Amino acid sequence: MKQPDREEKKARLGKQPVKVAVVQAAPVVFNREQTLKKVRSLARDAALQGARLVLFPEAFVSAYPRGLDFGAVVGSRSEQGREDFRRYWESSVDVPGPAVEDLGRTARDNGIYLVIGVVERSGGTLYCSVLFFASDGGFLGKHRKIMPTGSERLVWGFGDGSTMPVFETPLGRLGAVICWENYLPLMRTAMYAKGIEIYCAPTADSRDSWIASMRHIAVEGRCFVLSSNQFNRRRDFPDDYSSLLGKAPEAIITRGGSCIVDPFGNFLAGPDMEDEVILTAEIDRGQIIRGKYDLDVVGHYARPDIFQLFVDERPKHPVTTQAGAAGHKEKPAPQKNRQAVPGPGK
């Protein structure tokens, strides 16, 4: 009897329900290596529950610096704030680098697609990023948050349009939009235009309004929305963490709210606001097409005669060096995202 080849297996997988997971937990703040160790443990637990894709929260490696002001007021910065930034920078992630290799091994060893929020460093700048890994451990690419919110702009740079990938995978078209980027209607539209099916929304927002937004986006995009947030207490932060969080060890700092939502806005798992947890659910991609029967916002429900969106995905470099023959410009090579889906108009 003929054995099914790889492409046949992929096609068959695409027609079957797939179990996905969102991790709600706390990192080991400002400790990259210990946080990576915790990622390995949590990913293994999710895989043992049958998950084929596992999502971790925003800035999980190695911290969302909630409550820190980094010593900044208008017109002045403090020496302690500069030291806080140095410590944050030291625990961040080089892409590529050893932490990326470690995360790739975690994906490979557990046979999972891994999507995880990290604080990426490049030179002297930090970025809030999401890294994507295939089940064979291959690094698919990254998304840099294009709009840090409020005081996040003190410590995170701005991504550009070159890292907004949607990846074609056997599980479905996979991408991520970070926290309040989800309140950018045009960014959501760009992701819908790429045919996103598994819409990952790692976040640091645990308000009721966020949970309502996840249901709205699932319905609007007719996609599965996976939202993952941290759950942490004051004791999860260093003793010398000088912030407005107070000192009570059991005080809840971030209450979670992670959830998985189907294309009709129904909760398949969560929202959970009780403790650290791994939420799982089976997703049936057939629900996406059933939903698009009456709502496809970049198809039959669009009005391009009235509204059109232009998306600029060219990388923007602050320095371009001219070398070699006259008039020849050498630019840093843009990131190449394996199996990335083209953007609108490409």
Side-chain angles (χ1 to χ4, degrees), residues 244-258:
L244 303 177
L245 304 181
K247 295 292 184 181
E250 297 305 310
I252 295 174
I253 304 305
T254 306
R255 66 174 185 159
S258 301

Side-chain angles (χ1 to χ4, degrees), residues 2-262:
K2 177 187 175 184
Q3 296 297 316
D5 62 23
R6 190 173 182 179
E7 292 306 314
E8 288 175 333
K9 289 180 179 179
K10 283 185 178 181
R12 187 179 302 169
L13 177 60
K15 297 178 181 178
Q16 296 175 345
V18 172
K19 183 171 281 190
V20 298
V22 296
V23 172
Q24 178 167 288
V28 183
V29 174
F30 296 150
N31 189 322
R32 180 179 56 244
E33 303 312 317
Q34 288 300 311
T35 298
L36 291 171
K37 182 178 179 181
K38 187 167 185 176
V39 170
R40 291 194 292 270
S41 176
L42 291 167
R44 181 175 63 250
D45 290 346
L48 289 173
Q49 295 180 48
R52 298 291 309 279
L53 180 148
V54 183
L55 171 66
F56 280 78
E58 177 183 16
F60 195 77
V61 187
S62 69
Y64 183 82
R66 189 177 298 279
L68 282 187
D69 60 16
F70 290 91
V73 296
V74 174
S76 178
R77 267 73 59 198
S78 72
E79 290 304 311
Q80 180 58 50
R82 294 183 187 279
E83 175 58 18
D84 288 339
F85 181 80
R86 184 206 61 79
R87 180 162 67 162
Y88 198 25
W89 186 91
E90 290 288 352
S91 68
S92 61
V93 173
D94 293 315
V95 182
V100 175
E101 294 171 5
D102 190 291
L103 292 168
R105 286 191 294 271
T106 295
R108 181 198 63 204
D109 292 348
N110 293 287
I112 58 171
Y113 279 79
L114 175 63
V115 183
I116 184 166
V118 305
V119 179
E120 177 195 358
R121 68 186 178 197
S122 178
T125 300
L126 300 180
Y127 298 92
C128 179
S129 297
V130 168
L131 307 183
F132 301 83
F133 298 87
S135 57
D136 63 1
F139 176 55
L140 296 176
K142 69 184 178 186
H143 165 52
R144 282 180 175 173
K145 193 174 189 179
I146 64 173
M147 178 50 70
T149 301
S151 294
E152 293 173 357
R153 296 173 207 169
L154 287 171
V155 290
W156 292 343
F158 292 69
D160 60 27
S162 68
T163 68
M164 298 194 303
V166 170
F167 300 101
E168 190 80 57
T169 80
L171 310 183
R173 287 185 170 185
L174 171 66
V177 182
I178 306 170
C179 204
W180 276 26
E181 286 185 318
N182 286 280
Y183 294 139
L184 297 175
L186 303 185
M187 184 174 184
R188 296 201 310 268
T189 302
M191 300 302 277
Y192 301 152
K194 294 184 179 186
I196 191 169
E197 297 174 309
I198 304 175
Y199 185 116
C200 296
T203 189
D205 190 342
S206 58
R207 284 169 283 200
D208 292 342
S209 55
W210 173 261
I211 295 167
S213 294
M214 296 301 94
R215 299 187 72 186
H216 168 87
I217 291 169
V219 172
E220 179 181 71
R222 289 304 201 215
C223 51
F224 289 95
V225 172
L226 282 58
S227 179
S228 178
N229 196 1
Q230 297 183 24
F231 184 97
N232 50 38
R233 303 176 187 273
R234 177 62 183 86
R235 58 177 162 80
D236 294 313
F237 295 82
D239 291 339
D240 62 349
Y241 193 84
S242 301
S243 75
L244 303 177
L245 304 181
K247 295 292 184 181
E250 297 305 310
I252 295 174
I253 304 305
T254 306
R255 66 174 185 159
S258 301
C259 58
I260 302 172
V261 190
D262 80 0

